[in-house]
Amino acid sequence: MKFCLFGDIHANLEALEAVLRDAEAQECDRYACLGDIVGYNANPRECLEIVRSLDCPVVKGNHDEECSRDTPLEGLNPLAFAALTWAREQIHESEAEYLRKLRMVRQVTDFTIVHATLDTPAGWSYVQNKFDAMASFNYQFTSVCFYGHTHVPVAFAQSGSERPAKIEISEETIAIEPGKKYFINAGSVGQPRDGDWRAAYAIFDKAAGTVTIRRVEYDIDRAMEKILDAGLPEGLAQRLGEGR
Ligand code: ZN
């Protein structure tokens, strides 16, 4: 079994299609989505349709939540605000309903998926360092958990009651060792923020016991053009090119 773990798609159709093509070429046979299907980029409906057609486990992201509600958008940066206001106008009620019903945390075979953190999944905090990871580890009951939200691929490992250690996994494979816990960020499909514009996702090869972060080139010019054509802020197109 080879799982494709993908999230923070953020309505970037070109990046999502490229990732799914790559996952197929890498012989992934199962999929799990880490949330934030919508927001920021220009194809929320198309991305929703693709993710739903995969019929795979999906957890809710903060943009999925905001997009599917009709309460005022608060506490967002101007770019996120503009894109979510626009996305709310685009999606149909049945799509909003689908997003509203997504769960915060799911167990998939013997691992867990969550968008932000395991300690307060609906609080949308960011796991950026080993102290943040430690809080999630207290609520992690499987050896491996995948998450997203920061748009930066990274892994934290903890053995026994020791402090977690940070592992850089960009384009490297980590071996899952028995008796340890792993909290692994699969990076972002549609808006990477680690300075690399290429779409990111993770492959969990269950038989080999390894996790690999893949980086995939996609038609970024087309994705940028669509942002401008939709009347979304230019800054959203610009940041795609910069990978931030
Ligand atoms: Zn996100």
Side-chain angles (χ1 to χ4, degrees), residues 40-83:
Y40 292 125
N41 300 300
N43 288 110
R45 298 198 62 219
E46 293 78 1
C47 290
L48 266 165
E49 192 186 333
I50 291 176
V51 172
R52 292 178 76 174
S53 72
L54 287 170
D55 198 22
C56 67
V58 181
V59 284
K60 188 188 281 188
N62 51 317
H63 287 251
D64 303 324
E65 179 167 272
E66 290 294 352
C67 189
S68 62
R69 294 203 293 209
D70 45 20
T71 48
L73 292 164
E74 280 165 6
L76 293 166
N77 68 62
L79 292 181
F81 179 86

Tab-separated table of all heavy atoms in Angstrom, residues 40-83:
chain	number	residue	atom	x	y	z
A	40	TYR	N	-7.363	31.130	-1.697
A	40	TYR	CA	-6.172	31.692	-2.369
A	40	TYR	C	-6.170	31.661	-3.904
A	40	TYR	O	-5.885	32.667	-4.531
A	40	TYR	CB	-4.883	31.023	-1.871
A	40	TYR	CG	-4.528	31.332	-0.438
A	40	TYR	CD1	-4.329	30.303	0.475
A	40	TYR	CD2	-4.396	32.648	-0.006
A	40	TYR	CE1	-3.999	30.582	1.800
A	40	TYR	CE2	-4.068	32.933	1.313
A	40	TYR	CZ	-3.860	31.898	2.206
A	40	TYR	OH	-3.541	32.165	3.511
A	41	ASN	N	-6.409	30.494	-4.519
A	41	ASN	CA	-6.262	30.413	-5.973
A	41	ASN	C	-7.619	30.295	-6.672
A	41	ASN	O	-8.662	30.365	-6.023
A	41	ASN	CB	-5.299	29.280	-6.331
A	41	ASN	CG	-3.921	29.504	-5.716
A	41	ASN	OD1	-3.278	30.503	-5.997
A	41	ASN	ND2	-3.499	28.605	-4.848
A	42	ALA	N	-7.596	30.103	-7.994
A	42	ALA	CA	-8.782	30.398	-8.809
A	42	ALA	C	-9.728	29.237	-9.136
A	42	ALA	O	-10.728	29.451	-9.810
A	42	ALA	CB	-8.328	31.064	-10.101
A	43	ASN	N	-9.436	28.008	-8.682
A	43	ASN	CA	-10.312	26.902	-9.071
A	43	ASN	C	-10.875	26.097	-7.888
A	43	ASN	O	-10.680	24.871	-7.810
A	43	ASN	CB	-9.581	25.947	-10.023
A	43	ASN	CG	-9.379	26.543	-11.397
A	43	ASN	OD1	-8.263	26.869	-11.792
A	43	ASN	ND2	-10.454	26.729	-12.147
A	44	PRO	N	-11.613	26.751	-6.995
A	44	PRO	CA	-12.133	26.013	-5.834
A	44	PRO	C	-13.085	24.869	-6.216
A	44	PRO	O	-12.981	23.762	-5.675
A	44	PRO	CB	-12.861	27.088	-5.011
A	44	PRO	CG	-13.093	28.241	-5.940
A	44	PRO	CD	-11.985	28.185	-6.950
A	45	ARG	N	-13.974	25.124	-7.174
A	45	ARG	CA	-14.984	24.108	-7.524
A	45	ARG	C	-14.328	22.903	-8.202
A	45	ARG	O	-14.646	21.757	-7.919
A	45	ARG	CB	-16.056	24.703	-8.441
A	45	ARG	CG	-16.829	25.844	-7.764
A	45	ARG	CD	-18.112	26.130	-8.468
A	45	ARG	NE	-18.986	24.964	-8.428
A	45	ARG	CZ	-19.741	24.570	-9.438
A	45	ARG	NH1	-19.731	25.226	-10.567
A	45	ARG	NH2	-20.506	23.508	-9.309
A	46	GLU	N	-13.402	23.174	-9.117
A	46	GLU	CA	-12.743	22.095	-9.847
A	46	GLU	C	-11.928	21.221	-8.885
A	46	GLU	O	-11.912	19.989	-8.999
A	46	GLU	CB	-11.833	22.670	-10.931
A	46	GLU	CG	-12.557	23.389	-12.070
A	46	GLU	CD	-13.035	24.808	-11.715
A	46	GLU	OE1	-12.802	25.273	-10.570
A	46	GLU	OE2	-13.656	25.441	-12.580
A	47	CYS	N	-11.242	21.871	-7.943
A	47	CYS	CA	-10.435	21.104	-6.980
A	47	CYS	C	-11.334	20.276	-6.063
A	47	CYS	O	-11.014	19.124	-5.749
A	47	CYS	CB	-9.530	22.034	-6.175
A	47	CYS	SG	-8.201	22.722	-7.197
A	48	LEU	N	-12.455	20.877	-5.656
A	48	LEU	CA	-13.405	20.127	-4.828
A	48	LEU	C	-13.899	18.883	-5.569
A	48	LEU	O	-13.971	17.791	-4.998
A	48	LEU	CB	-14.615	21.007	-4.502
A	48	LEU	CG	-14.547	21.760	-3.183
A	48	LEU	CD1	-15.614	22.851	-3.145
A	48	LEU	CD2	-14.747	20.788	-2.019
A	49	GLU	N	-14.207	19.058	-6.834
A	49	GLU	CA	-14.735	17.935	-7.621
A	49	GLU	C	-13.702	16.807	-7.704
A	49	GLU	O	-14.034	15.628	-7.545
A	49	GLU	CB	-15.109	18.428	-9.019
A	49	GLU	CG	-15.922	17.398	-9.791
A	49	GLU	CD	-16.166	17.822	-11.230
A	49	GLU	OE1	-16.192	19.042	-11.510
A	49	GLU	OE2	-16.309	16.905	-12.069
A	50	ILE	N	-12.461	17.166	-7.933
A	50	ILE	CA	-11.409	16.143	-8.045
A	50	ILE	C	-11.207	15.420	-6.715
A	50	ILE	O	-11.152	14.189	-6.665
A	50	ILE	CB	-10.087	16.769	-8.535
A	50	ILE	CG1	-10.233	17.216	-9.986
A	50	ILE	CG2	-8.930	15.780	-8.389
A	50	ILE	CD1	-9.029	17.936	-10.546
A	51	VAL	N	-11.114	16.185	-5.629
A	51	VAL	CA	-10.886	15.555	-4.323
A	51	VAL	C	-12.056	14.635	-3.987
A	51	VAL	O	-11.868	13.497	-3.532
A	51	VAL	CB	-10.680	16.616	-3.214
A	51	VAL	CG1	-10.638	15.966	-1.844
A	51	VAL	CG2	-9.393	17.400	-3.460
A	52	ARG	N	-13.278	15.094	-4.257
A	52	ARG	CA	-14.450	14.259	-3.951
A	52	ARG	C	-14.460	13.004	-4.814
A	52	ARG	O	-14.866	11.934	-4.370
A	52	ARG	CB	-15.734	15.066	-4.134
A	52	ARG	CG	-15.870	16.160	-3.098
A	52	ARG	CD	-17.106	16.986	-3.302
A	52	ARG	NE	-18.320	16.297	-2.868
A	52	ARG	CZ	-19.509	16.871	-2.848
A	52	ARG	NH1	-19.667	18.115	-3.238
A	52	ARG	NH2	-20.557	16.185	-2.436
A	53	SER	N	-14.000	13.124	-6.055
A	53	SER	CA	-14.021	11.958	-6.950
A	53	SER	C	-13.012	10.894	-6.511
A	53	SER	O	-13.134	9.726	-6.881
A	53	SER	CB	-13.748	12.387	-8.401
A	53	SER	OG	-12.393	12.741	-8.536
A	54	LEU	N	-12.008	11.293	-5.744
A	54	LEU	CA	-11.030	10.304	-5.258
A	54	LEU	C	-11.646	9.413	-4.175
A	54	LEU	O	-11.124	8.336	-3.877
A	54	LEU	CB	-9.798	11.008	-4.682
A	54	LEU	CG	-8.854	11.665	-5.686
A	54	LEU	CD1	-7.831	12.515	-4.954
A	54	LEU	CD2	-8.164	10.615	-6.554
A	55	ASP	N	-12.737	9.902	-3.573
A	55	ASP	CA	-13.457	9.132	-2.558
A	55	ASP	C	-12.501	8.650	-1.454
A	55	ASP	O	-12.504	7.483	-1.066
A	55	ASP	CB	-14.161	7.936	-3.236
A	55	ASP	CG	-15.264	7.370	-2.352
A	55	ASP	OD1	-15.745	8.104	-1.471
A	55	ASP	OD2	-15.616	6.179	-2.528
A	56	CYS	N	-11.686	9.574	-0.969
A	56	CYS	CA	-10.672	9.219	0.025
A	56	CYS	C	-10.953	9.966	1.334
A	56	CYS	O	-11.746	10.897	1.357
A	56	CYS	CB	-9.284	9.577	-0.512
A	56	CYS	SG	-9.001	11.356	-0.710
A	57	PRO	N	-10.296	9.566	2.433
A	57	PRO	CA	-10.461	10.316	3.670
A	57	PRO	C	-9.949	11.752	3.512
A	57	PRO	O	-8.899	11.961	2.912
A	57	PRO	CB	-9.596	9.557	4.680
A	57	PRO	CG	-9.342	8.226	4.069
A	57	PRO	CD	-9.395	8.414	2.586
A	58	VAL	N	-10.717	12.704	4.038
A	58	VAL	CA	-10.365	14.126	3.949
A	58	VAL	C	-10.616	14.760	5.314
A	58	VAL	O	-11.633	14.459	5.940
A	58	VAL	CB	-11.263	14.857	2.906
A	58	VAL	CG1	-10.872	16.335	2.786
A	58	VAL	CG2	-11.214	14.188	1.539
A	59	VAL	N	-9.712	15.600	5.789
A	59	VAL	CA	-9.992	16.364	7.011
A	59	VAL	C	-10.203	17.836	6.663
A	59	VAL	O	-9.793	18.294	5.601
A	59	VAL	CB	-8.871	16.232	8.079
A	59	VAL	CG1	-8.942	14.876	8.768
A	59	VAL	CG2	-7.490	16.493	7.485
A	60	LYS	N	-10.857	18.542	7.580
A	60	LYS	CA	-11.216	19.936	7.330
A	60	LYS	C	-10.065	20.890	7.630
A	60	LYS	O	-9.400	20.773	8.656
A	60	LYS	CB	-12.407	20.308	8.215
A	60	LYS	CG	-12.999	21.688	7.914
A	60	LYS	CD	-14.044	22.108	8.937
A	60	LYS	CE	-15.376	21.441	8.697
A	60	LYS	NZ	-16.446	21.992	9.567
A	61	GLY	N	-9.858	21.849	6.704
A	61	GLY	CA	-8.884	22.917	6.934
A	61	GLY	C	-9.601	24.200	7.323
A	61	GLY	O	-10.824	24.303	7.171
A	62	ASN	N	-8.854	25.190	7.801
A	62	ASN	CA	-9.475	26.451	8.218
A	62	ASN	C	-10.116	27.193	7.047
A	62	ASN	O	-11.168	27.817	7.207
A	62	ASN	CB	-8.468	27.351	8.954
A	62	ASN	CG	-7.182	27.555	8.202
A	62	ASN	OD1	-6.623	26.611	7.646
A	62	ASN	ND2	-6.685	28.784	8.181
A	63	HIS	N	-9.524	27.091	5.845
A	63	HIS	CA	-10.143	27.746	4.688
A	63	HIS	C	-11.415	27.013	4.258
A	63	HIS	O	-12.363	27.638	3.805
A	63	HIS	CB	-9.149	27.830	3.525
A	63	HIS	CG	-8.077	28.855	3.750
A	63	HIS	ND1	-7.998	30.036	3.051
A	63	HIS	CD2	-7.055	28.886	4.641
A	63	HIS	CE1	-6.960	30.743	3.485
A	63	HIS	NE2	-6.368	30.056	4.447
A	64	ASP	N	-11.419	25.687	4.410
A	64	ASP	CA	-12.637	24.917	4.110
A	64	ASP	C	-13.756	25.371	5.049
A	64	ASP	O	-14.907	25.531	4.641
A	64	ASP	CB	-12.393	23.411	4.306
A	64	ASP	CG	-11.241	22.905	3.449
A	64	ASP	OD1	-11.092	23.395	2.318
A	64	ASP	OD2	-10.495	22.020	3.923
A	65	GLU	N	-13.385	25.567	6.314
A	65	GLU	CA	-14.374	25.986	7.308
A	65	GLU	C	-14.911	27.381	7.005
A	65	GLU	O	-16.118	27.596	6.953
A	65	GLU	CB	-13.759	25.964	8.714
A	65	GLU	CG	-14.743	26.409	9.776
A	65	GLU	CD	-14.260	26.109	11.176
A	65	GLU	OE1	-14.530	24.991	11.642
A	65	GLU	OE2	-13.620	26.978	11.784
A	66	GLU	N	-13.983	28.311	6.762
A	66	GLU	CA	-14.415	29.700	6.504
A	66	GLU	C	-15.232	29.802	5.216
A	66	GLU	O	-16.182	30.566	5.136
A	66	GLU	CB	-13.201	30.636	6.409
A	66	GLU	CG	-12.484	30.858	7.722
A	66	GLU	CD	-13.322	31.613	8.754
A	66	GLU	OE1	-14.419	32.098	8.411
A	66	GLU	OE2	-12.871	31.706	9.915
A	67	CYS	N	-14.844	29.030	4.215
A	67	CYS	CA	-15.519	29.102	2.921
A	67	CYS	C	-16.947	28.571	3.013
A	67	CYS	O	-17.833	29.024	2.306
A	67	CYS	CB	-14.718	28.298	1.891
A	67	CYS	SG	-15.312	28.508	0.216
A	68	SER	N	-17.179	27.630	3.914
A	68	SER	CA	-18.477	26.954	3.960
A	68	SER	C	-19.438	27.590	4.956
A	68	SER	O	-20.545	27.110	5.140
A	68	SER	CB	-18.264	25.480	4.310
A	68	SER	OG	-17.666	25.347	5.581
A	69	ARG	N	-19.016	28.677	5.613
A	69	ARG	CA	-19.908	29.343	6.571
A	69	ARG	C	-20.408	30.654	5.979
A	69	ARG	O	-19.850	31.153	5.010
A	69	ARG	CB	-19.131	29.669	7.854
A	69	ARG	CG	-18.685	28.447	8.603
A	69	ARG	CD	-18.437	28.740	10.047
A	69	ARG	NE	-17.290	29.628	10.262
A	69	ARG	CZ	-16.547	29.581	11.365
A	69	ARG	NH1	-16.827	28.708	12.312
A	69	ARG	NH2	-15.546	30.409	11.515
A	70	ASP	N	-21.425	31.238	6.615
A	70	ASP	CA	-21.804	32.574	6.149
A	70	ASP	C	-21.582	33.643	7.214
A	70	ASP	O	-22.052	34.763	7.095
A	70	ASP	CB	-23.226	32.597	5.573
A	70	ASP	CG	-24.198	31.862	6.449
A	70	ASP	OD1	-23.889	31.671	7.643
A	70	ASP	OD2	-25.273	31.485	5.952
A	71	THR	N	-20.839	33.279	8.263
A	71	THR	CA	-20.492	34.267	9.285
A	71	THR	C	-19.411	35.192	8.717
A	71	THR	O	-18.672	34.796	7.817
A	71	THR	CB	-19.936	33.557	10.538
A	71	THR	OG1	-18.956	32.612	10.120
A	71	THR	CG2	-21.031	32.832	11.298
A	72	PRO	N	-19.310	36.438	9.216
A	72	PRO	CA	-18.305	37.361	8.671
A	72	PRO	C	-16.891	36.780	8.773
A	72	PRO	O	-16.561	36.083	9.729
A	72	PRO	CB	-18.441	38.595	9.579
A	72	PRO	CG	-19.782	38.489	10.216
A	72	PRO	CD	-20.106	37.026	10.297
A	73	LEU	N	-16.094	37.051	7.750
A	73	LEU	CA	-14.706	36.566	7.729
A	73	LEU	C	-13.866	37.455	8.626
A	73	LEU	O	-13.769	38.661	8.403
A	73	LEU	CB	-14.168	36.608	6.295
A	73	LEU	CG	-14.788	35.623	5.309
A	73	LEU	CD1	-14.461	36.029	3.880
A	73	LEU	CD2	-14.300	34.212	5.582
A	74	GLU	N	-13.282	36.857	9.647
A	74	GLU	CA	-12.506	37.643	10.611
A	74	GLU	C	-11.099	37.071	10.806
A	74	GLU	O	-10.889	35.880	10.623
A	74	GLU	CB	-13.212	37.648	11.969
A	74	GLU	CG	-14.349	38.653	12.036
A	74	GLU	CD	-15.272	38.419	13.216
A	74	GLU	OE1	-14.978	37.555	14.057
A	74	GLU	OE2	-16.304	39.115	13.269
A	75	GLY	N	-10.193	37.940	11.213
A	75	GLY	CA	-8.842	37.519	11.580
A	75	GLY	C	-8.031	36.942	10.432
A	75	GLY	O	-7.168	36.102	10.645
A	76	LEU	N	-8.324	37.368	9.211
A	76	LEU	CA	-7.590	36.835	8.050
A	76	LEU	C	-6.714	37.928	7.456
A	76	LEU	O	-7.045	39.107	7.532
A	76	LEU	CB	-8.574	36.376	6.977
A	76	LEU	CG	-9.455	35.175	7.300
A	76	LEU	CD1	-10.586	35.090	6.290
A	76	LEU	CD2	-8.644	33.881	7.274
A	77	ASN	N	-5.595	37.514	6.836
A	77	ASN	CA	-4.798	38.510	6.132
A	77	ASN	C	-5.568	38.936	4.877
A	77	ASN	O	-6.465	38.224	4.420
A	77	ASN	CB	-3.394	37.963	5.827
A	77	ASN	CG	-3.418	36.845	4.804
A	77	ASN	OD1	-3.820	37.049	3.662
A	77	ASN	ND2	-3.005	35.673	5.210
A	78	PRO	N	-5.256	40.140	4.333
A	78	PRO	CA	-6.051	40.681	3.221
A	78	PRO	C	-6.141	39.751	2.009
A	78	PRO	O	-7.189	39.687	1.359
A	78	PRO	CB	-5.315	41.967	2.846
A	78	PRO	CG	-4.500	42.319	4.029
A	78	PRO	CD	-4.189	41.041	4.747
A	79	LEU	N	-5.075	39.017	1.721
A	79	LEU	CA	-5.101	38.114	0.555
A	79	LEU	C	-6.046	36.948	0.794
A	79	LEU	O	-6.827	36.558	-0.080
A	79	LEU	CB	-3.691	37.598	0.248
A	79	LEU	CG	-2.673	38.626	-0.254
A	79	LEU	CD1	-1.335	37.958	-0.528
A	79	LEU	CD2	-3.178	39.328	-1.510
A	80	ALA	N	-5.981	36.371	1.994
A	80	ALA	CA	-6.876	35.255	2.330
A	80	ALA	C	-8.321	35.736	2.344
A	80	ALA	O	-9.232	35.045	1.872
A	80	ALA	CB	-6.498	34.676	3.692
A	81	PHE	N	-8.534	36.946	2.871
A	81	PHE	CA	-9.878	37.523	2.943
A	81	PHE	C	-10.474	37.682	1.540
A	81	PHE	O	-11.598	37.246	1.270
A	81	PHE	CB	-9.834	38.877	3.664
A	81	PHE	CG	-11.162	39.549	3.768
A	81	PHE	CD1	-12.023	39.263	4.822
A	81	PHE	CD2	-11.587	40.452	2.792
A	81	PHE	CE1	-13.275	39.873	4.911
A	81	PHE	CE2	-12.835	41.064	2.862
A	81	PHE	CZ	-13.681	40.776	3.928
A	82	ALA	N	-9.693	38.274	0.635
A	82	ALA	CA	-10.179	38.510	-0.726
A	82	ALA	C	-10.517	37.192	-1.416
A	82	ALA	O	-11.567	37.052	-2.057
A	82	ALA	CB	-9.124	39.267	-1.532
A	83	ALA	N	-9.640	36.210	-1.261
A	83	ALA	CA	-9.837	34.935	-1.953
A	83	ALA	C	-11.026	34.165	-1.378
A	83	ALA	O	-11.775	33.525	-2.120
A	83	ALA	CB	-8.565	34.098	-1.880
